[in-house]
């Protein structure tokens, strides 16, 4: 262990709620059984086999109420890996479950044996026929696919609320549909073809001209079995009618028996059967989708009704008027959503019986939208609406920001209600459909049933399609609570089937919690045919047993997970996984959800258990050290859970009093540290990268890899210690040159002014001159200490910067323009908890402005472009996303270049101040997809607005990133001028 390596035991909980009944038992502390691990390592290689108990636990939970700990996790990189694991499972009589995003709500992504991760290496979108179709790999999120398609005016048909996190493979495997897909725009209807791997390992491309011949040659018994089933089903006219009737509603219960009616060959039948098969019939390795029109013209309202039946009764009116989406939210949902960022807080005061409809019309052009306006107005005139709180308007709007708020509230339904649930309770999400004409009746019946069983549930859903979701919370650690849930489910399922002839699962797929009730819905004849489908395709029962078909009537009560209490900042987490696609460490170590899942397992354990010891040993690096601490997870979480803040608290918890004092002394003497770093960079400029890399590597091993930076070739030369001379007298703003820009110069070899010179010059050129204070040295935004959890140093620097900014800005009269987005965030927001009461008052009077916002809003209207670049690519930083500045970066880039590209995978680079110097592997993993997009193209400029992020992006791409303000200065330079000297003379 290195000299200053933190002790993992510092994070050991003082007390736990353990031992819990569903804890990982002691004899699993060593992880994967040795024989299984060795077999798979020989088969696939060591980097594809995850085997520690930490690896297994972090994959044991998904968005469902279930929890099963696998024996091993395989990271499959290609079809050959999947086929190899399938063959191994056949030979050794093992079971396999495929997992992508883990957003499934019914335990489909969990297994007790071999779990195969098919997200990490399975992304990519190929646009076909100008967007009419798209070839999409299964690990691609729906959100990413839609970003690509939207550039062609197209979208995917399925649009689940989890689009930002759920993957296309999972959407097909569950036939998830969402707000607008209904039964006409779902995967079953729009999937043109797919490539699949059968349980035997046979690969089938359904679009291949010889697909049926190849399948018959490879799998003759399977082809005969499918043909026999088709003939039997088609020969039963009563069954055919029943199948057709069942799919007039949204229905994902069991296997798609209509595939035998719609497909004429075994391959065509397979294409249909794979939809909603939930990974039990094969692996979907690639999809080709027909897409739908984007229809950008929207007309949207959030309408409030006195109660749920009144809202439900209005749904047919909007359906008849042509609304694309009609979403229902009950009072519990609306009140819970008051905690969601951007949603009116007075929703918390809505009466419990209130309900609302989110109604949206979408049109391809203005003429069609005008027709929608009239149709909406006609319906509105017939309704009796209520306005119980001041924010309610009951008006149709076309303002994008307001519409985004409405949809954000609807999409946050599950997480918002989950946050409001009683501490320690498990959340169950149910999903059913009834004929839309009977929605009001079903709503009343559901409410009465919930009340009778003592559930204060929340209800929302895709009302246009008769599809309702509701959430139940109960304590899975208490047998009486589990029995209460069981009694409710028995009555609920009977009600849906016998009273409404509805679908027990409309779009979330059968899953573990509905398998016991499948025969109740479909009857014994159809259910037995489904068992024969499974036997035909997977005779050895290798794939996901018990997920679609299960003869155990109590299967839905097995594996329910307890939710032990953890740190308050993360305790509301329902493990939905929305945070994972934006997490920098998602492909390196752990995600925010997994950090929480691991912590919860610690709380299930006795304090001194061997499992606890193993988890703590891994947690230090996997969770704490490799968290960027950028809180991007907070922006993705619908209820703003900040796992990054929890990791920074853990870093603080690991510090000794001596370390805290040392960090505070560095803050007190930061001027010396600043000049020392410039001197060190100057010396380093004369030494080779290989030598410097070797020296820092040696010191890191001796001291601590989490304290000593690693040398990177992309680290630039030192900045000039002299800043441009400016005049305070006529200044429109105070210009704060961030310490990173006082320490680091621009990209090596770059010509032209420094960033401070460029900002001063372009502001002067626009008639908005800025002033650089002479006593800036030794000040900082405090992020250096904040990100590492050094509270004492953070307090020193946070108060210093606010006190100086108060003086510089003339008590807040002038805005403070900051030239690094992370520093803007630090000074503008993150210093607040560490300020004295007096300095907090001063801080509230300050106006802190990011340089990108200054440029977009104050400079662009006053500047003339004289020389534009042909192309530029931008890297919006995570701080910009927190600040809401990404549009301003796009605006500035759009001025300096004719063609601006923003990578589909542009997310946090993971450099996070100096975290990328401490753990370069974090930045390399975080930016792998973005770097691939950037290096695949050629650009005249690579633009951002944060020096350390620019260093990180240069490290992974080999391209010189710099501030967009440097490009703006060059683009607006007067014709014939080189550089103005009046505004940028060095200070004496």
């Amino acid at each position: 262990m290195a000299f200053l390596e933190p002790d993992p035991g510092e994070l050991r909980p003082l007390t736990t709620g353990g031992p819990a009944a569903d804890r990982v038992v002691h004899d699993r502390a060593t992880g994967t059984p040795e024989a299984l691990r060795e077999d798979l390592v020989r088969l696939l290689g060591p980097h594809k086999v995850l085997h520690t108990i930490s690896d297994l636990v972090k994959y044991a939970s998904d968005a469902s109420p279930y929890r099963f700990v696998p024996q091993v996790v395989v990271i499959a990189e290609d079809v050959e890996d999947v086929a190899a694991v399938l063959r191994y499972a056949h030979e050794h009589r093992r079971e396999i479950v495929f997992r992508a995003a883990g957003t499934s709500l019914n335990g489909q992504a969990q297994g007790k044996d071999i779990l195969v991760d098919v997200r990490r290496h399975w992304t990519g979108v190929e646009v076909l026929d100008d967007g009419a179709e798209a070839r999409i790999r299964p690990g691609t999120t729906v959100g990413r696919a839609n970003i690509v398609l939207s550039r062609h005016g197209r979208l995917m048909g399925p649009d689940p609320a989890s689009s930002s996190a759920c993957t296309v493979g999972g959407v097909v495997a569950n036939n998830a549909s969402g707000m607008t897909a209904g039964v006409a725009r779902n995967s079953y209807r729009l999937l043109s073809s797919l490539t699949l791997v059968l349980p035997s390992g046979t690969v089938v491309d359904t679009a291949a001209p010889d697909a049926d011949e190849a399948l018959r040659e490879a799998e003759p018994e399977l082809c005969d079995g499918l043909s026999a089933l088709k003939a039997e089903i088609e020969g039963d006219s009563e069954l055919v009618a029943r199948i057709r009737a069942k799919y007039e509603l949204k229905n994902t219960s069991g296997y798609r028996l209509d595939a035998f009616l719609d497909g004429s060959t075994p391959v065509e039948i397979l294409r249909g059967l794979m939809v909603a098969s939930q990974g039990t019939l094969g692996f979907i390795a690639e999809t080709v989708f027909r897409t739908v029109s984007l229809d950008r013209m929207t007309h949207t309202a959030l309408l409030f009704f006195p109660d749920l039946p009144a809202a439900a009764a209005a749904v047919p009116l909007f359906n008849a008027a042509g609304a694309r989406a009609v979403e229902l939210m009950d009072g519990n949902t609306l009140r819970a959503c008051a905690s969601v960022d951007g949603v009116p807080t007075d929703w918390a005061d809505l009466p419990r019986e209130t309900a609302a409809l989110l109604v949206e019309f979408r049109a391809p052009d203005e003429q069609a939208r005008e027709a929608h306006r009239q149709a909406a107005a006609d319906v509105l005139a017939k309704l009796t609406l209520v306005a119980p709180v001041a924010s309610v308007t009951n008006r149709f709007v076309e303002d994008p920001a307001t519409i985004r708020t409405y949809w954000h509230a609807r999409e946050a339904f599950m997480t918002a209600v989950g946050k409001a649930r009683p501490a320690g309770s498990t959340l169950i999400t149910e999903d059913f459909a009834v004929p839309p004409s009977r929605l009001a009746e079903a709503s009343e019946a559901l409410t009465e049933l919930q009340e009778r069983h003592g559930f204060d549930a929340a209800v929302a859903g895709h009302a246009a399609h008769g599809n309702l979701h509701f959430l139940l919370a109960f304590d899975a650690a208490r047998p009486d609570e589990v029995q209460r849930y069981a009694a409710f489910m028995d009555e609920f399922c009977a009600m849906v089937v016998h009273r409404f002839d509805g679908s027990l699962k409309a779009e979330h797929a059968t899953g573990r919690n509905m398998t016991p009730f499948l025969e109740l819905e479909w009857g014994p004849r159809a259910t037995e045919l489904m068992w024969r489908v499974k036997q035909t395709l997977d005779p050895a029962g290798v794939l996901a047993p018990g997920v679609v078909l299960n003869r155990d009537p109590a299967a839905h009560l097995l594996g329910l997970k307890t939710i032990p209490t953890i740190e308050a900042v993360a305790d509301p987490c329902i493990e939905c996984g929305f945070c994972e696609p934006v997490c920098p460490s998602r492909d390196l170590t752990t995600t925010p959800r997994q950090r929480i899942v691991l912590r919860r397992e610690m709380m299930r354990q006795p304090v001194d258990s061997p499992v606890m010891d193993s988890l703590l040993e891994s947690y230090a690096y996997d969770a704490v050290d490799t968290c960027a601490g950028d809180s991007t997870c907070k922006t993705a979480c619908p209820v703003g859970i900040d796992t990054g803040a929890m990791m920074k608290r853990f870093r603080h918890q690991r510090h000794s009093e001596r370390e805290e004092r040392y960090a505070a002394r560095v803050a007190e003497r930061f001027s010396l540290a600043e000049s020392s770093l410039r001197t060190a960079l100057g010396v380093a400029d004369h030494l080779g990268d290989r030598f410097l890399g070797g020296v820092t590597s040696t010191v890191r091993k001796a001291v601590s890899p989490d304290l000593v930076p690693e040398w990177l070739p992309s680290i630039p030369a030192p900045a000039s210690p002299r800043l441009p001379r400016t005049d305070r007298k006529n200044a429109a703003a105070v210009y704060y040159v961030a310490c990173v820009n006082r320490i680091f110069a621009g990209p090596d070899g770059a010509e032209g002014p420094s960033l401070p010179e460029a900002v001063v010059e372009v502001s002067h050129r626009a008639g908005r001159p800025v002033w650089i204070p002479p006593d800036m040295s030794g000040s900082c935004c405090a992020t250096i200490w904040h990100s590492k959890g050094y509270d004492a140093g953070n307090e020193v620097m946070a108060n210093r910067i606010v006190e100086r900014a108060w003086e510089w800005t003339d008590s807040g009269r002038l805005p403070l323009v900051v030239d690094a987005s992370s520093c803007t965030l630090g000074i503008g927001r993150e210093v607040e908890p560490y300020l004295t009461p007096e300095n907090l008052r001063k801080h509230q009077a300050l106006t802190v402005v990011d340089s990108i916002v200054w440029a977009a809003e104050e400079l662009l209207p006053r500047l003339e472009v004289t020389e534009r670049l042909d192309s530029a690519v931008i890297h919006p930083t995570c701080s910009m996303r927190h600040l809401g500045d990404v549009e301003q970066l796009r605006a500035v880039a759009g001025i300096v270049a004719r063609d601006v590209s923003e990578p589909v995978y542009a997310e946090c680079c993971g450099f996070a101040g100096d975290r990328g110097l401490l753990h370069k592997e974090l930045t390399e993993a975080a930016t792998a997809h973005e770097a691939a997009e950037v290096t695949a193209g050629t650009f005249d400029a690579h633009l951002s607005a944060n020096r350390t992020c620019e260093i990180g992006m240069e490290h992974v791409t080999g391209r010189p990133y710099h501030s967009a303000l440097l490009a703006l200065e060059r683009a607006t330079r007067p014709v014939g001028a080189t550089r103005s000297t009046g505004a940028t003379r060095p200070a004496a």
Side-chain angles (χ1 to χ4, degrees), residues 63 105 330 332-333 336 410 412-421 426-432 446 450 455-460 468-474 485 488 508 574:
L105 296 169
D330 77 343
N332 281 347
T333 298
R410 169 61 188 90
F413 156 64
M414 186 176 73
T415 49
V417 174
K419 181 180 181 180
R421 78 192 190 283
T426 297
L427 197 68
I428 299 268
T429 305
E430 291 299 345
D431 155 53
F432 71 106
L446 176 62
Q450 290 169 343
F455 287 111
D456 187 21
V459 179
L468 291 179
H469 306 315
F470 62 93
L471 302 178
L472 305 175
F474 66 95
Y485 164 65
F488 171 85
H508 293 168
I574 61 168

Side-chain angles (χ1 to χ4, degrees), residues 52 95 105 170 374 408 495 587 604 705 746 786 813 838 853:
T52 70
E95 300 170 359
L105 296 169
Q374 185 57 54
H408 184 45
M495 178 191 79
D587 292 336
R604 293 186 184 99
H786 177 63
R813 181 180 63 84
E838 176 62 18
V853 176

Side-chain angles (χ1 to χ4, degrees), residues 187-257:
S187 296
Y188 187 80
R189 299 300 175 194
L190 296 180
L191 188 63
S192 176
S193 68
L194 53 79
T195 299
L196 63 105
V197 185
L198 292 170
S200 62
T202 299
V203 180
V204 181
D205 177 0
T206 66
D210 63 343
D212 274 295
E213 291 82 353
L215 180 63
R216 176 157 291 281
E217 182 176 347
E219 305 276 353
E221 292 183 9
L222 184 150
C223 289
D224 289 343
L226 292 178
S227 296
L229 282 165
K230 175 178 173 63
E232 185 175 339
I233 291 170
E234 289 182 329
D236 187 334
S237 58
E238 185 177 339
L239 179 61
V240 169
R242 178 63 176 160
I243 291 170
R244 290 301 190 195
K246 287 296 290 177
Y247 290 112
E248 289 178 4
L249 288 181
K250 292 173 71 170
N251 191 323
T252 58
S253 298
Y255 294 127
R256 293 280 317 205
L257 293 181

Side-chain angles (χ1 to χ4, degrees), residues 927-937 956-957:
T927 58
H929 292 301
E930 181 180 0
E933 291 183 69
V934 172
T935 55
V956 296
T957 64

